[in-house]
Amino acid sequence: MAERRSGAAEGLARLSEWADAHLGLVRSLSSGVAVAGLVLLARSVRMTTKFTSAVDIPVQFVEKNVKLRGKLHHVTEKGLEVEHVPISIPFITWIQRKWQSQGLLLVRLAGVELAPSGVAWLQRELRPEQMVWFQLLGREDVALQCLVLVNKGRFLSVCLNEEILRHGLGRTARIEGLPHDSPLYWKLHKRLLRAELKALKKSKGIWKEESYSERIRDRISNNKFVQTLKQFVSWLRRSVQR
């Protein structure tokens, strides 16, 4: 009888130890799930935040070259004015809309020096409220240096940086914000150079060669004797009118 009581006591002790061990495991798992939930919530809040200024965008987003989307408002000589459209998540987005401010991001075509004809081309080709994607490459004061993509159909997108150079409406330039010795810098720079080379070979845009008659006309108009003669004729006309 004593042996049975002793065995029962040992069984209860083992059961208690097993329960304590599993209870600790459950608590650890619960804590881990809670931490993971907070991390996911923090990431969700970041991804659903509407950025209204370049300085509001986290440094990690720029360093990781995150791709964002936005709604185009204006095309100016300084760049594209874009309203950031974040990812929408029920409840979180609804709460954030209560305190989010309004503002537009200034997006520039990275690695491209736009000609005046390039600005005019963008104003013709892009329409207000059009959705664009912009991949962050760098940040310069209040402007973002980006690769800008627009949809041209269901499965086709066009990179505006390359398209401008392909039409001869700008020149390649240093990609501000990216380290000069990084693999990504040279990968993108080669893409832009290839696009520029196509315009150069076809003499498009700023690479268009003047015809023989245009060169002769320019030489005549820039000739000092012709310029002096024009000034004399203008003076003579004014004298006759008096």
Side-chain angles (χ1 to χ4, degrees), residues 163 165-169 193-210:
E163 199 70 6
L165 296 173
R166 198 175 291 118
H167 283 82
L169 303 174
L193 285 174
R194 282 196 294 266
E196 185 180 53
L197 185 59
K198 290 181 180 180
L200 182 60
K201 287 181 177 179
K202 296 180 179 179
S203 299
K204 298 178 68 175
I206 60 176
W207 308 110
K208 181 181 179 181
E209 294 182 359
E210 293 182 329

Side-chain angles (χ1 to χ4, degrees), residues 226-239:
V226 174
Q227 291 176 354
T228 304
L229 184 60
K230 286 180 178 180
Q231 292 173 359
F232 174 75
V233 172
S234 298
W235 174 81
L236 188 61
R237 285 177 179 175
R238 289 194 298 268
S239 300

Side-chain angles (χ1 to χ4, degrees), residues 124-224:
R124 290 194 308 270
E125 291 294 316
L126 302 178
R127 63 184 186 276
E129 306 295 315
Q130 182 173 357
M131 295 298 295
V132 299
W133 288 89
F134 50 102
Q135 184 177 5
L136 303 173
L137 299 180
R139 179 166 46 196
E140 185 181 12
D141 297 329
V142 296
L144 298 168
Q145 297 288 339
C146 305
L147 281 183
V148 182
L149 300 106
V150 295
N151 291 329
K152 292 289 185 180
R154 191 171 182 180
F155 302 105
L156 178 65
S157 62
V158 174
C159 177
L160 290 181
N161 308 57
E162 293 178 272
E163 199 70 6
I164 283 288
L165 296 173
R166 198 175 291 118
H167 283 82
L169 303 174
R171 302 173 184 270
T172 55
R174 177 184 171 85
I175 304 175
E176 301 295 340
L178 280 180
H180 193 263
D181 56 349
S182 68
L184 180 60
Y185 180 97
W186 287 107
K187 178 183 177 181
L188 296 178
H189 194 57
K190 287 178 182 178
R191 281 175 54 184
L192 299 178
L193 285 174
R194 282 196 294 266
E196 185 180 53
L197 185 59
K198 290 181 180 180
L200 182 60
K201 287 181 177 179
K202 296 180 179 179
S203 299
K204 298 178 68 175
I206 60 176
W207 308 110
K208 181 181 179 181
E209 294 182 359
E210 293 182 329
S211 64
Y212 179 75
S213 59
E214 289 174 334
R215 289 198 297 270
I216 294 297
R217 186 171 62 249
D218 289 341
R219 288 179 183 177
I220 292 174
S221 62
N222 294 328
N223 186 277
K224 290 184 179 180

Side-chain angles (χ1 to χ4, degrees), residues 26-38:
V26 169
R27 287 176 178 172
S28 299
L29 289 174
S30 299
S31 300
V33 170
V35 171
L38 289 173

Side-chain angles (χ1 to χ4, degrees), residues 10 14 21 57 59 69 75 89 92 94 107 112 153 168 210 213 232:
E10 289 180 2
R14 290 177 182 177
I57 299 177
V59 176
R69 65 173 179 166
V75 177
I89 297 179
I92 294 177
W94 179 79
V107 176
V112 177
E210 293 182 329
S213 59
F232 174 75

